[in-house]
mmCIF file of all heavy atoms in Angstrom:
data_model
loop_
_atom_site.group_PDB
_atom_site.id
_atom_site.type_symbol
_atom_site.label_atom_id
_atom_site.label_comp_id
_atom_site.label_asym_id
_atom_site.label_seq_id
_atom_site.Cartn_x
_atom_site.Cartn_y
_atom_site.Cartn_z
ATOM 1 N N CYS A 204 -10.518 -2.005 16.124
ATOM 2 C CA CYS A 204 -11.114 -3.208 15.528
ATOM 3 C C CYS A 204 -10.891 -3.286 14.025
ATOM 4 O O CYS A 204 -11.042 -4.362 13.431
ATOM 5 C CB CYS A 204 -12.594 -3.285 15.870
ATOM 6 S SG CYS A 204 -12.881 -3.557 17.640
ATOM 7 N N ILE A 205 -10.511 -2.169 13.411
ATOM 8 C CA ILE A 205 -10.148 -2.209 11.987
ATOM 9 C C ILE A 205 -9.002 -3.186 11.786
ATOM 10 O O ILE A 205 -9.040 -4.054 10.912
ATOM 11 C CB ILE A 205 -9.763 -0.808 11.476
ATOM 12 C CG1 ILE A 205 -10.958 0.137 11.517
ATOM 13 C CG2 ILE A 205 -9.187 -0.893 10.060
ATOM 14 C CD1 ILE A 205 -10.625 1.578 11.145
ATOM 15 N N ASP A 206 -7.977 -3.057 12.611
ATOM 16 C CA ASP A 206 -6.797 -3.918 12.468
ATOM 17 C C ASP A 206 -7.130 -5.377 12.749
ATOM 18 O O ASP A 206 -6.573 -6.278 12.110
ATOM 19 C CB ASP A 206 -5.682 -3.445 13.400
ATOM 20 C CG ASP A 206 -5.096 -2.102 12.986
ATOM 21 O OD1 ASP A 206 -5.220 -1.745 11.799
ATOM 22 O OD2 ASP A 206 -4.518 -1.406 13.841
ATOM 23 N N PHE A 207 -8.028 -5.637 13.700
ATOM 24 C CA PHE A 207 -8.408 -7.021 14.005
ATOM 25 C C PHE A 207 -9.072 -7.672 12.791
ATOM 26 O O PHE A 207 -8.788 -8.827 12.459
ATOM 27 C CB PHE A 207 -9.350 -7.079 15.207
ATOM 28 C CG PHE A 207 -8.753 -6.583 16.488
ATOM 29 C CD1 PHE A 207 -9.524 -5.886 17.409
ATOM 30 C CD2 PHE A 207 -7.412 -6.797 16.791
ATOM 31 C CE1 PHE A 207 -8.984 -5.425 18.594
ATOM 32 C CE2 PHE A 207 -6.855 -6.334 17.972
ATOM 33 C CZ PHE A 207 -7.643 -5.649 18.882
ATOM 34 N N PHE A 208 -9.952 -6.918 12.136
ATOM 35 C CA PHE A 208 -10.627 -7.479 10.966
ATOM 36 C C PHE A 208 -9.642 -7.705 9.825
ATOM 37 O O PHE A 208 -9.683 -8.750 9.145
ATOM 38 C CB PHE A 208 -11.761 -6.569 10.494
ATOM 39 C CG PHE A 208 -12.444 -7.080 9.253
ATOM 40 C CD1 PHE A 208 -13.370 -8.103 9.331
ATOM 41 C CD2 PHE A 208 -12.141 -6.555 8.002
ATOM 42 C CE1 PHE A 208 -13.987 -8.600 8.189
ATOM 43 C CE2 PHE A 208 -12.753 -7.043 6.848
ATOM 44 C CZ PHE A 208 -13.681 -8.067 6.945
ATOM 45 N N VAL A 209 -8.776 -6.750 9.570
ATOM 46 C CA VAL A 209 -7.822 -6.875 8.465
ATOM 47 C C VAL A 209 -6.883 -8.059 8.708
ATOM 48 O O VAL A 209 -6.553 -8.803 7.770
ATOM 49 C CB VAL A 209 -7.036 -5.569 8.271
ATOM 50 C CG1 VAL A 209 -5.964 -5.739 7.198
ATOM 51 C CG2 VAL A 209 -7.977 -4.434 7.889
ATOM 52 N N LYS A 210 -6.491 -8.265 9.955
ATOM 53 C CA LYS A 210 -5.642 -9.419 10.292
ATOM 54 C C LYS A 210 -6.383 -10.723 10.004
ATOM 55 O O LYS A 210 -5.821 -11.668 9.427
ATOM 56 C CB LYS A 210 -5.233 -9.354 11.765
ATOM 57 C CG LYS A 210 -4.382 -10.530 12.232
ATOM 58 C CD LYS A 210 -3.940 -10.365 13.674
ATOM 59 C CE LYS A 210 -5.119 -10.315 14.626
ATOM 60 N NZ LYS A 210 -4.695 -10.290 16.054
ATOM 61 N N PHE A 211 -7.647 -10.795 10.403
ATOM 62 C CA PHE A 211 -8.478 -11.970 10.153
ATOM 63 C C PHE A 211 -8.646 -12.200 8.655
ATOM 64 O O PHE A 211 -8.463 -13.312 8.144
ATOM 65 C CB PHE A 211 -9.833 -11.768 10.841
ATOM 66 C CG PHE A 211 -10.951 -12.651 10.360
ATOM 67 C CD1 PHE A 211 -10.855 -14.036 10.426
ATOM 68 C CD2 PHE A 211 -12.121 -12.092 9.850
ATOM 69 C CE1 PHE A 211 -11.900 -14.840 9.986
ATOM 70 C CE2 PHE A 211 -13.159 -12.881 9.413
ATOM 71 C CZ PHE A 211 -13.052 -14.264 9.473
ATOM 72 N N ALA A 212 -8.998 -11.144 7.917
ATOM 73 C CA ALA A 212 -9.204 -11.265 6.475
ATOM 74 C C ALA A 212 -7.931 -11.718 5.772
ATOM 75 O O ALA A 212 -7.957 -12.604 4.905
ATOM 76 C CB ALA A 212 -9.674 -9.930 5.899
ATOM 77 N N THR A 213 -6.809 -11.126 6.168
ATOM 78 C CA THR A 213 -5.535 -11.460 5.535
ATOM 79 C C THR A 213 -5.166 -12.918 5.779
ATOM 80 O O THR A 213 -4.683 -13.618 4.867
ATOM 81 C CB THR A 213 -4.424 -10.536 6.046
ATOM 82 O OG1 THR A 213 -4.781 -9.166 5.762
ATOM 83 C CG2 THR A 213 -3.095 -10.851 5.396
ATOM 84 N N ALA A 214 -5.397 -13.405 6.989
ATOM 85 C CA ALA A 214 -5.117 -14.810 7.298
ATOM 86 C C ALA A 214 -5.946 -15.734 6.411
ATOM 87 O O ALA A 214 -5.449 -16.755 5.919
ATOM 88 C CB ALA A 214 -5.403 -15.090 8.769
ATOM 89 N N CYS A 215 -7.199 -15.369 6.176
ATOM 90 C CA CYS A 215 -8.072 -16.180 5.316
ATOM 91 C C CYS A 215 -7.635 -16.097 3.863
ATOM 92 O O CYS A 215 -7.576 -17.120 3.151
ATOM 93 C CB CYS A 215 -9.516 -15.732 5.467
ATOM 94 S SG CYS A 215 -10.223 -16.030 7.103
#
Side-chain angles (χ1 to χ4, degrees):
C204 293
I205 295 175
D206 291 337
F207 297 144
F208 177 78
V209 175
K210 178 177 62 174
F211 162 59
T213 301
C215 294

